[in-house]
Amino acid sequence: ISPSGLGRYFFHDCERFLRWRSTRNPRQNGVPNRSYDTGTLMSAVLVSGHTWEETLLRDHLGERVRIAPGNGSISDRIWGWEETIKQLLQAQPGEYIYQPSLRPPEILYRRWGLNLDLVRIPDNRPDLIKVAEQFGERIYRIIDIKRGTALRLPYRVQVYFYAMELDAIVKELGLPGVVDLERGAAWLGGAEAPHAFDLALVASHVDDL
């Protein structure tokens, strides 16, 4: 199960899509091979998405964002699991962590009643974690970067999933601070600031599923 796959399931409202997308052994379970769109239009969409991310990081966040070291495109830079924990500890209020890696602990499986023998949540990456401070308490907030200009249901689902996952990590490892489980945000294409939304709008639906 992945945040993006779950988001698309709610968008399509199709149980077959979720099963096909999530089956570990597609051929053994009668799931058709997935085909990927490699056409010119899709390539242009991907390029525009990466361009928007780099523009946002450079022009809106600047020195406030922590980006993993490396060469090439910024969108290819990822904080590994151990480096992510260090960043969560070191980032100061007002800073952002770009593309950290989240590894769900068992507490998340127990919270959702998931059987570890049947369901696996692989490492995944929210676009941004913002570190804030309120009334002297450290707060982590999830922000997803999207090239689209309208807030869509899959964005809300993904952000909620990431927030729940990060909350489980913070509690499991005893990291200082708390995760904001009430509000998430999507930084939409061309926007000057992230668009905040209430996570309660999707929380019960995701939890029930």
Side-chain angles (χ1 to χ4, degrees), residues 113-174:
L114 300 177
N115 186 335
L116 277 163
D117 294 328
L118 299 176
V119 178
R120 181 176 66 89
I121 302 172
D123 290 4
N124 50 76
R125 302 185 302 274
D127 291 322
L128 292 170
I129 295 177
K130 180 181 180 180
V131 179
E133 189 175 63
Q134 187 173 6
F135 305 117
E137 185 173 42
R138 189 177 180 85
I139 300 174
Y140 305 101
R141 293 192 175 103
I142 300 293
I143 302 175
D144 230 22
I145 302 174
K146 301 297 183 183
R147 64 175 294 277
T149 57
L151 185 60
R152 300 169 58 195
L153 176 60
Y155 304 167
R156 299 175 186 268
V157 172
Q158 284 182 255
V159 169
Y160 176 68
F161 192 106
Y162 290 135
M164 289 289 286
E165 191 171 23
L166 181 58
D167 178 67
I169 292 170
V170 167
K171 291 178 178 176
E172 179 81 6
L173 300 181

Side-chain angles (χ1 to χ4, degrees), residues 25-64:
N25 301 302
R27 183 176 299 178
Q28 179 180 336
N29 288 281
V31 177
N33 292 329
R34 293 175 61 183
S35 59
Y36 297 89
D37 187 347
T38 58
T40 303
L41 178 59
M42 181 55 65
S43 297
V45 169
L46 293 175
V47 169
S48 68
H50 292 160
T51 300
W52 165 235
E53 282 194 18
E54 295 185 4
T55 299
L56 188 159
L57 298 173
R58 181 186 65 247
D59 297 344
H60 295 282
L61 299 183
E63 296 182 354
R64 295 181 296 159

Side-chain angles (χ1 to χ4, degrees), residues 191-205:
E192 294 295 321
H195 186 112
F197 52 84
D198 189 349
L199 293 177
L201 294 173
V202 297
S204 62
H205 301 288

Side-chain angles (χ1 to χ4, degrees), residues 1 104-121 160-161 164 168 206-209:
I1 296 294
E106 287 191 22
I107 186 177
L108 182 66
Y109 289 84
R110 294 197 300 270
R111 180 181 292 175
W112 275 330
L114 300 177
N115 186 335
L116 277 163
D117 294 328
L118 299 176
V119 178
R120 181 176 66 89
I121 302 172
Y160 176 68
F161 192 106
M164 289 289 286
V206 175
D207 293 342
D208 288 345
L209 178 67

